Amino acid sequence: MKLFGSSGTRGVVGESLTPEFVLRVAKAAGTVWNTDRVAIARDTRTTGEMFVNAASAGLASVGVDICDLGVTPTPAAVRYCEVEDVPGVIITASHNPPEFNGVKLVDDGVELSVEQLELVEDHILAEDFDVAAWDEVGSVRTVETANQDYLDELLASVDRQKIADANLTVALDPGHGAGSLVTPNFLRELGCEVRTVNAQPDGHFPGRESEPIPENLTDLERLVRASDADIGIAHDGDADRAVFVDENGEAISGESSLAALVAANLEPGDATVSAVNVSQRLVDVCEEADADLELTPIGSTNLITRIRQLWTEGVNVPVAGEGNGGVFFPNYRLVRDGAYIAAKFLELVAEQPASEVVAPYQDYYNVRINVEYSRDEELDAMLSAAAAYAEASDATPNTTDGYRLDYGDAWVLVRPSGTEPKVRVYAEGRSEARAQELAEDAADALYAALDEL
């Protein structure tokens, strides 16, 4: 369990998360924020209400009133916090399995930076809380309009007429998450004919795993083909990602949809921001647009930090993101917003079929292997093995985040997950066989280290 991870998760994420710890996090955050009000939201996970109650108790104990938004997509909660000028606590584990849950902390309309989280962590470790007197404890007020207000703003922020004129049929898979409460209505209001699967809010995620990766999207692929849809859209548990399936029922890689969205929005002199596992697709797009590509460690925290730095330098960053479906449109709002991402992609599909939108960005193949561990000793052994593997290679390692090895025609990256007990191996090549070979070779080195324990 971590207060923050290298993946950029702002808050505790884990299967072992407890109400007692959530209460302490909330007490620390309320103490650091020194505010009168805090918003609380959650996704659909079965433990969400329990952790909301714990967080509410913690905040109330330090004299903070709570605005309870209920089940709300993360971008809707962030919007509420920005508009109402209040910090926020969001109970979600995003794309992780249903047994996981977590805490995200929001202030100034964006999720907390690592530096701010460290301050919260210091108060937790020192048990330094501003405990209120009995007659000054906070109270809870239910807010029922957060999702509708978010929907209204979405509709005013995209090219509604362009999408409506295209008469699109959209297949949607919100994965039983918080997006089930907003995205179906949003797409219908845009003039789309909508077909859904896994669209009932259910924290057990019975239809599929929350992470919208191709192996979890077979239901959506079938729905696209069965309904003759123009596009399929999938979210994760808190709907801050959007991943797509083309009109042929074939999953579109997140790297390809990111490249298409960046290409459509980037102008010469602009910059985009991505992580060290960036695809060559995005490198090519930036070179063609005469725009800068800024790389950070993996995770939205790091991207947000770099985007804000570029803003202070007067650099325009119209779009940024990673190849997992998490895309920022900072001039709209500095948050990953699955519904907004979906609409921006629909604007492209309104002009040509989805398969043609991403056709220029299909020349690379990506493979990811997860190596799980259960003890810190196993993690340490795998990281030592990764360092040795990098040193023995004929490529120069990039150690911005983990070990990335570039071979000219392909690359491989080994890094620990910040949210799950896994070491992730990413590889990309101009052929699937080359990417698979690199990923398996690196993963074998990690497995060998585990066998030696």
Side-chain angles (χ1 to χ4, degrees):
M1 184 156 45
K2 299 182 180 181
L3 183 56
F4 54 87
S6 59
S7 72
T9 299
R10 274 142 341 253
V12 184
V13 172
E15 188 176 354
S16 57
L17 189 67
T18 65
E20 294 81 5
F21 194 79
V22 172
L23 183 143
R24 292 171 63 207
V25 171
K27 289 172 70 174
T31 298
V32 169
W33 285 328
N34 190 28
T35 184
D36 295 331
R37 291 188 301 147
V38 169
I40 290 185
R42 63 183 175 94
D43 66 17
T44 58
R45 293 166 197 270
T46 59
T47 56
E49 186 172 4
M50 174 180 70
F51 289 131
V52 162
N53 291 337
S56 297
L59 290 166
S61 74
V62 295
V64 175
D65 291 334
I66 297 96
C67 304
D68 187 351
L69 310 186
V71 176
T72 310
T74 286
V78 172
R79 178 208 169 273
Y80 181 90
C81 291
E82 179 181 323
V83 171
E84 295 295 323
D85 193 24
V86 296
V89 175
I90 305 173
I91 304 297
T92 178
S94 189
H95 61 282
N96 290 290
E99 63 269 24
F100 284 73
N101 217 330
V103 184
K104 291 184 179 181
L105 303 177
V106 177
D107 198 11
D108 293 329
V110 297
E111 296 175 36
L112 261 62
S113 66
V114 170
E115 292 76 16
Q116 292 170 310
L117 279 173
E118 287 175 342
L119 183 57
V120 173
E121 183 176 28
D122 289 342
H123 280 264
I124 294 172
L125 296 175
E127 297 192 1
D128 181 11
F129 311 125
D130 291 338
V131 178
W134 68 270
D135 57 348
E136 295 178 350
V137 297
S139 61
V140 179
R141 176 175 67 89
T142 299
V143 176
E144 298 180 348
T145 59
N147 285 337
Q148 185 60 51
D149 292 343
Y150 165 61
L151 173 58
D152 292 342
E153 183 180 90
L154 283 171
L155 290 169
S157 302
V158 301
D159 195 338
R160 188 173 179 177
Q161 193 61 52
K162 181 178 183 179
I163 295 170
D165 289 345
N167 295 315
L168 299 174
T169 298
V170 177
L172 174 66
D173 180 355
H176 301 290
S180 304
L181 301 180
V182 176
T183 304
N185 291 335
F186 174 49
L187 295 174
R188 292 186 179 104
E189 291 286 343
L190 288 175
C192 300
E193 188 74 23
V194 181
R195 302 287 183 266
T196 62
V197 64
N198 302 322
Q200 302 78 28
D202 189 331
H204 296 90
F205 301 156
R208 67 163 171 88
E209 291 292 331
S210 182
E211 188 169 15
I213 53 179
E215 50 263 44
N216 293 337
L217 300 182
T218 53
D219 286 346
L220 181 60
E221 292 171 344
R222 284 195 292 265
L223 180 59
V224 168
R225 291 190 289 267
S227 61
D228 196 24
D230 297 287
I231 185 73
I233 300 169
H235 291 321
D236 60 340
D238 67 335
D240 70 347
R241 300 187 187 188
V243 172
F244 305 100
V245 171
D246 71 17
E247 74 280 6
N248 301 310
E250 300 292 333
I252 296 172
S253 74
E255 291 83 3
S256 295
S257 57
L258 173 62
L261 288 165
V262 171
N265 290 277
L266 209 58
E267 299 290 341
D270 288 345
T272 190
V273 180
S274 193
V276 69
N277 63 338
V278 65
S279 169
Q280 185 66 31
R281 301 165 175 87
L282 198 57
V283 176
D284 296 343
V285 165
C286 291
E287 288 180 353
E288 185 174 346
D290 192 23
D292 292 330
L293 174 59
E294 300 276 342
L295 297 185
T296 74
I298 291 173
S300 57
T301 295
N302 301 304
L303 271 69
I304 288 171
T305 298
R306 186 57 185 145
I307 291 168
R308 298 179 92 174
Q309 289 171 346
L310 290 169
W311 280 350
T312 65
E313 299 167 10
V315 178
N316 185 41
V317 186
V319 60
E322 298 173 276
N324 56 13
V327 184
F328 293 91
F329 290 87
N331 297 330
Y332 165 65
R333 178 164 287 113
L334 193 51
V335 64
R336 302 189 303 189
D337 188 329
Y340 187 83
I341 298 164
K344 298 304 287 184
F345 199 77
L346 288 179
E347 291 176 8
L348 304 182
V349 175
E351 296 179 349
Q352 57 182 328
S355 61
E356 295 180 17
V357 169
V358 298
Y361 317 109
Q362 300 284 65
D363 293 339
Y364 285 79
Y365 295 84
N366 294 85
V367 174
R368 188 176 81 174
I369 298 174
N370 294 322
V371 183
E372 298 184 358
Y373 63 90
S374 58
R375 297 179 289 122
D376 288 343
E377 292 82 358
E378 293 175 327
L379 173 60
D380 292 340
M382 286 195 284
L383 293 181
S384 295
Y389 181 85
E391 185 175 352
S393 75
D394 57 1
T396 301
N398 181 324
T399 57
T400 298
D401 185 5
Y403 298 89
R404 174 172 169 142
L405 305 175
D406 283 287
Y407 293 94
D409 67 322
W411 59 264
V412 63
L413 171 68
V414 180
R415 65 175 293 278
S417 168
T419 59
E420 297 180 86
K422 299 175 181 179
V423 174
R424 302 194 192 278
V425 180
Y426 307 81
E428 182 178 72
R430 292 186 182 275
S431 72
E432 189 171 7
R434 175 63 167 150
Q436 191 72 39
E437 175 192 22
L438 283 175
E440 290 179 354
D441 192 49
D444 285 346
L446 303 183
Y447 285 121
L450 294 178
D451 290 340
E452 292 176 2
L453 291 178

